[in-house]
Amino acid sequence: MTDQRVHLTLSDSEIRRLEDCAREPIRTPGSIQAHGALIAVEPASHRIVAVSENCAELLGIPGPLLGQPLSVAVDAELEQTLQAMLEDARAANPITFETDEGLFDAIVQPASGLILLELEPRLQLPLQQLASGLYAISHRLAAIDDVDRLLKETARELRALTGFDRVMVYRFHPDDHGEVVAEERAEDMEPFEGLHFPASDIPAQARQLYITKLSRAIVGTSGESSPIITVGGEYAPSALDLSPAELRSVSPHHLEFMRNMGQESTVSFSMVTDGVLTGMITCAHRTRRQLPFIQRRGIEVLANQIALQVRALEQVRRLNRQVQLRRTRAELLVQIAASDDIAGTLVRGEVTVRDLISCDGVAVRINGRTRVLGDTPPTAELEALRTRLDESREYSFIASDALGLDRPYFAEVAPSVTGVLMVPVGGAGDYIAFFRNEVLLDIEWLGDQTNANRLTPLSPRMSFSAWTDSVAGTAPAWGELAAEAIDLARDLESALLRRVESELAHLAMYDPLTGLSNRRGMLDRLELALRDDAPSWILTVLFVDLDGFKSVNDTFGHDVGDALISLIGERIVSVVRAQDTVARLGGDEFVIVCQHMDREAAEHVAGRIIEAIAEPATIDGSVVTVTASVGIAVTDRPIEAAELLRHADEAMYRAKVSGKNRVSA
């Protein structure tokens, strides 16, 4: 079954038909189908208060029934059985009802505060067509792991079981119109598979009834219905709710519809998923044909199995797809971890968001920087969509495959957009937006939908030959990808937050000018080294201070001074060991923490530092030269970090006093 959603703009005539259908009293028609009979009794007194007009003739019961005790129609044993069925929810219909006219299936159930006793002539069927046949079908269908094949096999199996000329499986679209997704038919019948039909063919109140009444049998379109007559008073035919009844009569509009389709008899079964009518199975025959109650009830169970199986298969498909999407999303997040241009990486990296969500174009705005790929709307429309989404109190994101039809508030500022999936990222106007272009759909309809194919605008269609109409303004549906886009946005928000936290942590421990450790980072490293519990250790601190750096700022400016500080940091790093920690304390002061380095080695390193710093530097065309004084402090015993640093500072000061550009330990 396709994921393509079909959005239809209802014509005025279709709206009128839906309104007309909504007014029909389908729950309280005041009559039943004449192939069966109905008796309604009060629960306490068992007084008969309503009967179908054909009751006496069909059942062969002499004398009036209205107002009489139920015992005039049934024997005492059967009456006790009926009462027991109402008191025990585990009791199952039907029970046998025998009169001089033959055997009947009696179906007992409560309705409108009364007990309904419906009587259908019993049909004898071989066991193969009842329990064992249904079990075999259920077993075969349960082994199918593809939705389309499952529905096709369902139609084939049920046609073989019931003997009906045609069996169709429907599904309903979001706008309530339907589609024949599977079919089995007699060879001489016109094919209907793949054809769509309007919502008025199975209007809303009928679909709602199919949720509680899981099957509907219409035995004939040419016979008369039998009116219900009552004792009067509080009991009126129009007040008797026949929603649960098997024999409830049929709307004249629907009977005309069936006759126009060449159907004399139909039986329909509901496919309900999570309380929603998602599809139906309809068996249709060109002549009068009836399924016994027990068989209808068995197929109801089978239809429920099919609905559950379809849901399970679709869930498996979604889960497999989600696993693939999660893997791609993880690769995407790893890819952006080291990127300075997150938006650019999302649309131009080795893995892009288009590998995650199929689209014609994508726009990403991260940290105020926008990057686009593919077919996207103009910048002005992008910004207008973003602004409207930011201002909207109704929508936290946009997911539409027909923006002009179902989101006019957004469509008016983005007229070039058909399908859009836009999700905010953070709260600073950033977003990720996917776009899909319009796809012109040719819809095959079950009959010409115009008034030319009807006697009146409210009449059923006269012909049901395939009729093609084009539907515009729709893009391929996003489906579960909307949830994936939301998850992606949340992951991006988390990644951005972690990056900010990491940057803040880095700023707390590192000097922003040189990238070296700052005072806090150096002290942490020094304290860690001082806690070393190795049997023998030695720790050395070198304190470096530039000589005459103030004159550089005064002569060349602070920009040159900053550049020189950064360069000197690089020179120091180049002459010390990789395991040594180089830190800038601030201004023109640097500290080097060296583990396992004695005084002699430290003096050698300090000399290399002095030589490296003394090398002339050319910055912005100016040649700048400075020197440095270095103080050394060495310890081989536990000591406070601040004390060791103070000793190195004092040594550096002695080097300054002694003439600068030298080492003191």
Side-chain angles (χ1 to χ4, degrees):
M1 290 166 29
T2 177
D3 287 334
Q4 178 66 55
R5 292 177 63 192
V6 180
H7 296 257
L8 303 175
T9 301
L10 297 182
S11 67
D12 291 341
S13 295
E14 176 67 359
I15 293 173
R16 289 175 60 194
R17 284 190 290 273
L18 287 169
E19 291 172 346
D20 190 55
C21 291
R23 288 191 292 267
E24 282 195 279
I26 63 172
R27 294 177 180 269
T28 56
S31 59
I32 64 166
Q33 298 179 62
H35 69 279
L38 178 141
I39 299 173
V41 302
E42 293 174 325
S45 66
H46 285 196
R47 182 173 70 106
I48 298 174
V49 295
V51 296
S52 56
E53 193 176 64
N54 66 342
C55 202
E57 178 183 356
L58 184 67
L59 302 179
I61 300 175
L65 294 177
L66 279 178
Q68 301 298 313
L70 182 59
S71 57
V72 303
V74 302
D75 59 34
E77 181 180 355
L78 182 56
E79 187 173 5
Q80 290 176 358
T81 302
L82 299 179
Q83 184 63 37
M85 289 183 66
L86 290 173
E87 295 172 353
D88 186 356
R90 296 170 298 178
N93 281 311
I95 58 177
T96 300
F97 181 78
E98 185 174 4
T99 72
D100 292 340
E101 299 298 320
L103 293 175
F104 292 84
D105 283 335
I107 301 106
V108 184
Q109 56 194 324
S112 297
L114 300 174
I115 299 172
L116 291 189
L117 175 61
E118 296 182 87
L119 300 150
E120 296 182 359
R122 171 162 293 182
L123 302 176
Q124 297 297 331
L125 287 178
L127 184 61
Q128 177 63 23
Q129 290 184 279
L130 293 174
S132 61
L134 282 168
Y135 175 81
I137 292 173
S138 174
H139 184 72
R140 288 192 293 269
L141 294 179
I144 298 175
D145 60 2
D146 176 78
V147 171
D148 291 333
R149 189 161 67 88
L150 171 64
L151 299 181
K152 182 68 176 175
E153 285 301 302
T154 296
R156 189 184 67 81
E157 292 276 15
L158 286 183
R159 181 163 184 256
L161 177 74
T162 64
F164 275 70
D165 291 330
R166 189 196 303 268
V167 175
M168 295 173 287
V169 182
Y170 311 143
R171 76 176 176 99
F172 293 109
H173 285 260
D175 62 359
D176 292 338
H177 92 275
E179 180 182 357
V180 182
V181 293
E183 176 189 50
E184 279 292 320
R185 57 184 171 80
E187 291 184 0
D188 61 338
M189 298 183 76
E190 190 174 6
F192 292 158
E193 185 172 346
L195 302 186
H196 296 245
F197 54 88
S200 58
D201 280 6
I202 307 177
Q205 66 165 333
R207 286 196 306 276
Q208 186 61 38
L209 193 52
Y210 271 114
I211 293 174
T212 54
K213 180 71 174 68
L214 298 179
S215 68
R216 170 68 158 147
I218 302 174
V219 173
T221 62
S222 56
E224 294 291 330
S225 61
S226 179
I228 294 173
I229 54 177
T230 67
V231 294
E234 61 179 303
Y235 303 110
S238 60
L240 185 57
D241 186 356
L242 297 180
S243 298
E246 300 294 321
L247 296 172
R248 177 170 50 87
S249 63
V250 188
S251 156
H253 180 94
H254 189 69
L255 290 176
E256 183 182 357
F257 178 92
M258 289 177 59
R259 287 192 291 268
N260 290 352
M261 287 195 75
Q263 299 173 345
E264 176 66 17
S265 303
T266 62
V267 188
S268 296
F269 302 93
S270 306
M271 297 173 65
V272 179
T273 304
D274 296 329
V276 177
L277 185 69
T278 54
M280 289 179 62
I281 302 168
T282 292
C283 307
H285 208 63
R286 288 172 287 191
T287 59
R288 189 179 181 89
R289 191 169 185 84
Q290 181 179 350
L291 294 183
F293 172 82
I294 191 66
Q295 189 176 30
R296 299 199 303 270
R297 187 55 56 89
I299 298 176
E300 286 180 13
V301 175
L302 180 66
N304 182 64
Q305 172 196 312
I306 301 304
L308 292 174
Q309 192 171 342
V310 167
R311 181 179 66 174
L313 290 173
E314 290 178 341
Q315 286 177 336
V316 169
R317 180 188 61 80
R318 282 195 295 269
L319 288 173
N320 288 335
R321 172 66 173 155
Q322 286 172 3
V323 169
Q324 178 186 351
L325 291 174
R326 298 299 186 273
R327 187 178 300 118
T328 303
R329 197 164 80 228
E331 294 175 3
L332 196 62
L333 293 172
V334 169
Q335 183 176 279
I336 69 173
S339 173
D340 292 329
D341 181 7
I342 295 177
T345 301
L346 287 171
V347 299
R348 297 192 182 93
E350 184 176 345
V351 179
T352 75
V353 288
R354 292 180 78 176
D355 296 315
L356 193 66
I357 296 177
S358 174
C359 60
D360 295 304
V362 60
V364 180
R365 185 179 189 268
I366 301 293
N367 293 330
R369 180 183 295 178
T370 303
R371 296 287 184 266
V372 299
L373 179 66
D375 193 356
T376 59
T379 301
E381 292 190 19
L382 273 175
E383 285 303 302
L385 276 176
R386 178 186 68 82
T387 300
R388 290 230 159 168
L389 184 56
D390 287 345
E391 295 172 349
S392 174
R393 295 183 178 180
E394 184 177 0
Y395 301 105
S396 58
F397 65 96
I398 314 172
S400 173
D401 48 16
L403 194 66
L405 296 177
D406 59 19
R407 296 289 186 272
Y409 173 72
F410 296 104
E412 65 183 11
V413 298
S416 71
V417 175
T418 300
V420 58
L421 177 54
M422 176 179 270
V423 183
V425 178
D430 291 343
Y431 62 85
I432 183 165
F434 303 89
F435 298 93
R436 285 180 173 175
N437 295 333
E438 177 183 18
V439 176
L440 188 64
L441 296 177
D442 287 332
I443 305 298
E444 293 273 304
W445 287 98
L446 187 60
D448 182 351
Q449 300 297 301
T450 68
N451 290 339
N453 192 29
R454 303 174 189 272
L455 290 176
T456 72
L458 298 182
S459 298
R461 301 185 296 285
M462 295 181 292
S463 168
F464 293 87
S465 297
W467 179 78
T468 303
D469 189 23
S470 295
V471 177
T474 301
W478 298 108
E480 64 265 23
L481 292 179
E484 183 61 32
I486 293 172
D487 288 345
L488 172 62
R490 301 300 169 262
D491 282 353
L492 288 175
E493 289 175 357
S494 297
L496 292 171
L497 180 60
R498 287 194 298 271
R499 177 176 291 228
V500 169
E501 292 172 345
S502 176
E503 290 172 352
L504 290 174
H506 188 275
L507 288 174
M509 303 296 286
Y510 291 87
D511 173 50
L513 178 61
T514 63
L516 302 173
S517 293
N518 59 14
R519 175 182 291 272
R520 178 179 172 183
M522 182 273 298
L523 287 173
D524 283 354
R525 180 72 185 87
L526 189 55
E527 289 173 352
L528 181 63
L530 287 167
R531 290 198 298 270
D532 191 345
D533 57 359
S536 63
W537 59 272
I538 188 169
L539 184 64
T540 299
V541 171
L542 287 74
F543 200 117
V544 180
D545 185 88
L546 302 184
D547 301 324
F549 179 72
K550 183 177 182 299
S551 65
V552 174
N553 280 334
D554 293 343
T555 303
F556 300 102
H558 286 279
D559 288 344
V560 171
D562 287 348
L564 180 62
I565 289 293
S566 183
L567 177 62
I568 287 173
E570 294 173 2
R571 288 180 176 180
I572 294 173
V573 170
S574 70
V575 298
V576 301
R577 301 175 306 179
Q579 66 265 36
D580 298 334
T581 298
V582 181
R584 179 188 177 216
L585 298 191
D588 58 351
E589 295 179 334
F590 297 84
V591 168
I592 303 94
V593 178
C594 309
Q595 282 184 281
H596 310 298
M597 179 182 287
D598 58 20
R599 175 173 175 172
E600 182 180 354
E603 288 178 347
H604 177 70
V605 171
R608 292 169 58 188
I609 291 173
I610 288 174
E611 290 176 4
I613 291 174
E615 286 289 330
T618 301
I619 301 172
D620 289 343
S622 300
V623 178
V624 183
T625 303
V626 293
T627 60
S629 299
V630 181
I632 300 173
V634 182
T635 184
D636 59 358
R637 60 181 176 80
I639 188 175
E640 292 293 329
E643 183 179 356
L644 184 60
L645 187 61
R646 179 172 55 80
H647 290 324
D649 187 16
E650 290 171 350
M652 180 274 297
Y653 182 72
R654 288 194 297 270
K656 289 272 190 185
V657 172
S658 299
K660 303 179 182 178
N661 194 28
R662 66 191 62 207
V663 179
S664 176

